[in-house]
Amino acid sequence: MARWLLCSTRHWQVVLCLIASAVTLTGAQIRYSIPEEQYKGAFVGDVSQDLGLDLDRLRSGRARIITGDNQYVELERDKGILVVREKIDREKICGETTPCSFTFEIILENPIELHRVTVEITDVNDHAPSFNKNEIKFKISESAAVGARFVLGSAEDPDVGLNALQSYHLSENSHFVLKQHARPDGVKYAEMVLQKPLDREQNAQLHLTLTAVDGGNPQKTGTVKIQVNVLDVNDNAPVFNQSVYKAKITENSPRGTYITTVNASDADTGTNGQIRYAFSNLKGNIGDVFSLDENSGIISVTGMIDFEKNKIFEIGIEAEDQGGLADSSKVVVEVVDVNDNAPVINIMSLIGSIAENAPSGTTVAVINIKDADSELNGQVTCSIEQTFPFELKSSITNYYTLVTKSELDRETVSEYNITVEATDSGNPALSTTKVLNLKVADVNDNAPVFSQSSYYTYVMENNSPGVSLCKVMAQDSDNNHNARVSFILEEKQINGSPASNYISINSETGVLSAVRSYDYEQLSKLVVHVKAQDGGSPPLSSNVTVTVSVQDQNDNAPQVLYPVQTGGSVVAEIVPRSADVGYLVTKVVAVDVDSGQNAWLSYRLQKVTDRALFEVGAQNGEIRTVRQVTDKDAVKQKLTVVVEDNGQPSRSAVVNINVAVADTFPEVLSEFTDFTHSKQYNDDLTFYLVLALAAVSFLFITTVVVIISVKIYRWRQSRLFYQSNLPVIPYYPPGYTDTGVTATLPHMYHYDACMTTDSRKSDCKYSTLGGKSVLVMEPSFTETMQHSLTDNNFTRHQDSHELVRIL
Ligand SMILES: *[C@@H]1O[C@H](CO)[C@@H](O)[C@H](O)[C@H]1NC(C)=O
Ligand SMILES: *[C@@H]1O[C@H](CO)[C@@H](O)[C@H](O)[C@H]1NC(C)=O
Ligand SMILES: *[C@@H]1O[C@H](CO)[C@@H](O)[C@H](O)[C@H]1NC(C)=O
Ligand SMILES: *[C@@H]1O[C@H](CO)[C@@H](O)[C@H](O)[C@H]1NC(C)=O
């Protein structure tokens, strides 16, 4: 039989007493209750009392405890109480099991008694809830939906009952709420529920605290930290910081020139915030001109920027993150003009040549000026050299006409290189020049000009036909055919026949040549006119006088006019024996049709019977006695006189003169009959011959005189008579008769005067001065003489010996 005794409690301990009946073998059962975690020696129960055993019995009975493995309590026999032997941890002994107790027996000997004791251990809140981690980390995308749950796990509390885990608390936050659950096994756990969307961009990390609370008194708690990392979601597009970027750049900027930087930002991180820049909607050549660094957003120049092509660039740009979100903007690049274009001169039309007589104001060229630059850089002025007779006129903007300012003269300037200069107003200014080549076309405005105002040349007579006389030259300052000069001999009469019979001219070379051989004695001077004519239309011409002087040659021997040389008859001059010294026996009269020295005659005796008796005047041909004629001198004297001219070589003539030194004619005759072969036959013949000769001579001389008179009279009528003090030359007048074999020369001479001042007129004037005939001649006497001779056919009558010239 057993009795349960509820024992008194001391302090917070509850003692459960088991009162066992004192039976022999099987004793009573007692039960005690103690809180766990009692210190060693803590009172558990008074067994002596509860079992009803006194201390002596215990001692004698050697009461002791019989236990299994664990001896949590021990028996203090002398006090009869049970105390805690070692600290008791309920959680160790029982874990979750409740109620928790252990049982042991107390055994006594003498008599043997056995008592069972059960000790119940009550829970004490000795454990706080605890989490098995210090920190819980979550990575939650910011795109996580509201209501998403995140299990936080559970805390453990080995205590039981109220002392066990009761609830969880989550620190204050705006995104999550806490929900608590209990598993079927009764374990309580918590989870977070997203109640407001996360935004990484606002809050990239949340720090929360989860607290677990038990129900003990005092309460015990355990905490764990919760770190929420908000994961980025590409929820932000890049944004340019400007809607338009403006930049200015001068044209021709070199490659790599910085223009501007575009900047977009993306609130996202990582690849979601990695921006790449690019051009969008590229138009034309923009891609070749600009480059955009896809990472830095720097825009720079890569190609040629030409203001003249693009004044402004509008470039679309785009920024895109890796998530594919993008923004766009634009860059406006204004190109600043640089004076990089020189003006361009275009010759719209140009006449290659202009006639030199073109009127002032004639348009030569039309010029167009262009400058690709703008504003001042493109404002162009155009100019030419002021010295030229041209000017620029502009009626339409950028168009100029080049006109003549005055008349031109090809002979002065035949070609103009007109430099047109176009200059713009830039700084520095650029200019362009262009040379216009303008030829001045010839107009036949210049007549040929001879190199001399007159030409004078001479030629020896007896020239060969065709010999060239001289060359005339003429120049024409015109051009081409207007300057092609041809020479023409002008029509003119020379000696009654056309000039072309005497002289010819090569129309191209201007060389004058003789057509025939000239005879000075006929023609001493040729005067012709040569015309030089150019090839223009109409042609222009000028003329010049060419004088060809024919030079005399000694081509004529002197001709003896007197005494006449007869074939058979003997003519003799009679010298009276009474003649004094210096008696003029006769005079040898000779002429030379040459002129000048060629006609200077000299006389000398070549052969003479008696050299001491006669002499001949070297100049005048007068034969005179040198001494007194004596009776001893032979009747018949024979003289040979040589007449020589002064030419080179000289020519001469020989005349034989018979002189009879006698006082009577019969004496002479008797002497001279010796000369003949048959005297009786010759007497009559001689007489008749002399008579006939005298008659013929008389007739002829009369005729000559008449003709000369008529001729001279005509000249006198037609030509002027000029006074002159030129040398006076004695002249035997034609009317002076000297006929017959016995003729003696008169001692007094009659002269006619022929005066002239003008050599060209070659005329003579015969006048009778005081009953004497005097021939007056000028130095060109030879010519005059020749005319007279020619005119009178004098040379054909060589037997006439009335005309004597004395030099
Ligand atoms: C863009 O602009 C932001 C703020 O304006 C600045 O912090 C950043 O450095 C800029 N980026 C570049 C590439 O200049
Ligand atoms: C935009 O960004 C660029 C580059 O960093 C900077 O130069 C510019 O000043 C910014 N513009 C604004 C309005 O902030
Ligand atoms: C004009 O220019 C041309 C070509 O350069 C040259 O042959 C000619 O001699 C020049 N004329 C003048 C008058 O300068
Ligand atoms: C020669 O030219 C002059 C002017 O130069 C002119 O007066 C004259 O008539 C011309 N003579 C002839 C023969 O052509």
Side-chain angles (χ1 to χ4, degrees), residues 75-317:
L75 177 67
E76 283 187 359
R77 259 178 289 173
D78 44 351
K79 284 182 187 167
I81 56 169
L82 286 170
V83 292
V84 173
R85 187 171 172 254
E86 62 181 91
K87 199 171 184 182
I88 301 166
D89 186 1
R90 193 204 67 86
E91 283 78 23
K92 200 174 171 184
I93 298 168
C94 302
E96 295 285 307
T97 313
T98 59
C100 180
S101 61
F102 60 87
T103 306
F104 57 89
E105 277 85 31
I106 296 173
I107 191 160
L108 286 127
E109 293 169 8
N110 293 332
I112 293 171
E113 274 176 76
L114 195 64
H115 302 281
R116 175 165 287 189
V117 178
T118 300
V119 177
E120 189 190 349
I121 301 162
T122 59
D123 187 39
V124 168
N125 193 17
D126 58 347
H127 286 96
S130 75
F131 293 92
N132 53 5
K133 287 186 243 169
N134 283 332
E135 196 177 36
I136 307 170
K137 289 186 174 173
F138 285 105
K139 289 182 175 173
I140 304 172
S141 164
E142 57 178 324
S143 64
V146 171
R149 292 155 183 264
F150 302 93
V151 176
L152 299 174
S154 54
E156 283 181 25
D157 193 335
D159 294 330
V160 290
L162 269 179
N163 289 336
L165 175 71
Q166 296 300 313
S167 64
Y168 295 100
H169 299 287
L170 192 61
S171 60
E172 199 63 35
N173 77 93
S174 53
H175 291 280
F176 295 99
V177 290
L178 194 70
K179 284 213 167 157
Q180 301 187 36
H181 302 278
R183 279 205 297 258
D185 62 359
V187 175
K188 288 177 177 162
Y189 67 95
E191 57 184 20
M192 295 189 306
V193 179
L194 187 64
Q195 63 166 10
K196 185 183 162 207
L198 291 169
D199 184 3
R200 192 203 64 77
E201 286 71 37
Q202 265 186 8
N203 221 339
Q205 235 180 20
L206 299 176
H207 294 280
L208 305 173
T209 309
L210 181 65
T211 309
V213 186
D214 64 16
N217 192 8
Q219 253 184 352
K220 291 204 167 189
T221 58
T223 58
V224 67
K225 286 182 177 158
I226 302 170
Q227 189 186 26
V228 178
N229 286 315
V230 184
L231 291 184
D232 187 45
V233 161
N234 193 21
D235 55 350
N236 285 284
V239 178
F240 277 106
N241 70 347
Q242 284 171 228
S243 58
V244 175
Y245 295 85
K246 287 189 173 162
K248 275 188 182 182
I249 182 136
T250 53
E251 62 173 329
N252 303 331
S253 289
R255 270 162 185 272
T257 304
Y258 170 86
I259 298 175
T260 187
T261 304
V262 295
N263 186 359
S265 48
D266 191 313
D268 294 326
T269 57
T271 57
N272 290 335
Q274 246 175 41
I275 297 173
R276 287 184 185 284
Y277 300 97
F279 288 130
S280 64
N281 65 319
L282 272 190
K283 279 179 286 182
N285 63 344
I286 289 179
D288 303 331
V289 178
F290 299 105
S291 75
L292 171 59
D293 187 293
E294 61 172 15
N295 293 317
S296 65
I298 293 174
I299 297 177
S300 50
V301 177
T302 51
M304 275 299 300
I305 297 183
D306 188 358
F307 175 85
E308 286 68 42
K309 281 191 194 152
N310 299 88
K311 293 182 174 44
I312 199 159
F313 288 96
E314 265 197 44
I315 318 165
I317 48 167

Side-chain angles (χ1 to χ4, degrees), residues 455-476:
Y455 290 85
Y456 181 85
T457 186
Y458 62 88
V459 63
M460 281 298 193
E461 63 173 329
N462 303 320
N463 57 295
S464 50
V467 74
S468 64
L469 303 172
C470 72
K471 180 179 165 85
V472 294
M473 282 197 288
Q475 288 209 317
D476 192 309

Side-chain angles (χ1 to χ4, degrees), residues 53-66 75 77 105-113:
L53 302 169
D54 60 19
L55 295 173
D56 292 343
R57 170 70 187 123
L58 293 174
R59 215 171 299 128
S60 61
R62 295 196 310 157
R64 62 183 190 270
I65 290 170
I66 302 166
L75 177 67
R77 259 178 289 173
E105 277 85 31
I106 296 173
I107 191 160
L108 286 127
E109 293 169 8
N110 293 332
I112 293 171
E113 274 176 76

Side-chain angles (χ1 to χ4, degrees), residues 388-450:
F388 284 170
F390 301 98
E391 60 187 345
L392 278 173
K393 285 185 173 169
S394 179
S395 46
I396 310 171
T397 316
N398 287 341
Y399 277 87
Y400 293 87
T401 49
L402 182 66
V403 298
T404 56
K405 220 162 39 172
S406 59
E407 278 213 1
L408 309 173
D409 183 18
R410 191 203 65 81
E411 285 71 37
T412 318
V413 185
S414 67
E415 186 187 24
Y416 289 95
N417 282 337
I418 308 159
T419 306
V420 180
E421 181 170 23
T423 309
D424 64 24
S425 311
N427 187 16
L430 294 176
S431 66
T432 307
T433 58
K434 196 148 202 170
V435 178
L436 308 183
N437 181 264
L438 182 66
K439 297 205 163 45
V440 182
D442 190 42
V443 164
N444 193 21
D445 54 355
N446 286 284
V449 176
F450 281 98

Side-chain angles (χ1 to χ4, degrees), residues 539-555:
L540 296 174
S541 64
S542 58
N543 61 44
V544 76
T545 303
V546 181
T547 306
V548 181
S549 173
V550 180
Q551 304 270 299
D552 185 42
Q553 260 184 344
N554 193 19
D555 57 344

Side-chain angles (χ1 to χ4, degrees), residues 520-700:
Y520 171 85
E521 286 71 34
Q522 284 184 35
L523 180 69
S524 64
K525 190 160 87 172
L526 280 99
V527 180
V528 291
H529 297 289
V530 173
K531 184 163 88 173
Q533 178 172 298
D534 63 25
S537 173
L540 296 174
S541 64
S542 58
N543 61 44
V544 76
T545 303
V546 181
T547 306
V548 181
S549 173
V550 180
Q551 304 270 299
D552 185 42
Q553 260 184 344
N554 193 19
D555 57 344
N556 291 287
Q559 287 151 17
V560 180
L561 302 182
Y562 183 86
V564 179
Q565 299 295 293
T566 56
S569 63
V570 177
V571 179
E573 306 290 339
I574 295 166
V575 178
R577 289 191 183 271
S578 58
D580 286 337
V581 175
Y583 175 82
L584 177 64
V585 179
T586 184
K587 180 178 167 73
V588 179
V589 180
V591 291
D592 193 314
V593 291
D594 292 325
S595 67
Q597 296 222 334
N598 294 335
W600 290 2
L601 299 182
S602 61
Y603 304 84
R604 63 185 165 82
L605 278 175
Q606 196 188 36
K607 280 193 289 184
V608 65
T609 316
D610 186 351
R611 191 165 288 276
L613 185 57
F614 301 106
E615 64 164 12
V616 66
Q619 303 293 313
N620 51 22
E622 287 175 358
I623 299 172
R624 293 179 187 269
T625 56
V626 222
R627 61 169 169 80
Q628 188 71 49
V629 181
T630 63
D631 292 341
K632 287 180 209 139
D633 290 326
V635 173
K636 192 171 73 180
Q637 298 277 345
K638 196 168 179 184
L639 285 77
T640 305
V641 175
V642 178
V643 185
E644 259 183 346
D645 62 24
N646 201 27
Q648 206 54 261
S650 72
R651 288 169 178 262
S652 60
V654 176
V655 62
N656 293 314
I657 301 157
N658 292 315
V659 177
V661 183
D663 286 328
T664 60
F665 190 67
E667 189 184 353
V668 176
L669 265 186
S670 65
E671 262 318 301
F672 277 82
T673 45
D674 295 347
F675 291 112
T676 59
H677 308 291
S678 55
K679 197 184 171 191
Q680 76 284 7
Y681 167 77
N682 272 333
D683 271 348
D684 281 342
L685 187 63
T686 306
F687 177 73
Y688 290 121
L689 274 175
V690 171
L691 205 67
L693 187 65
V696 166
S697 297
F698 179 76
L699 259 175
F700 171 70

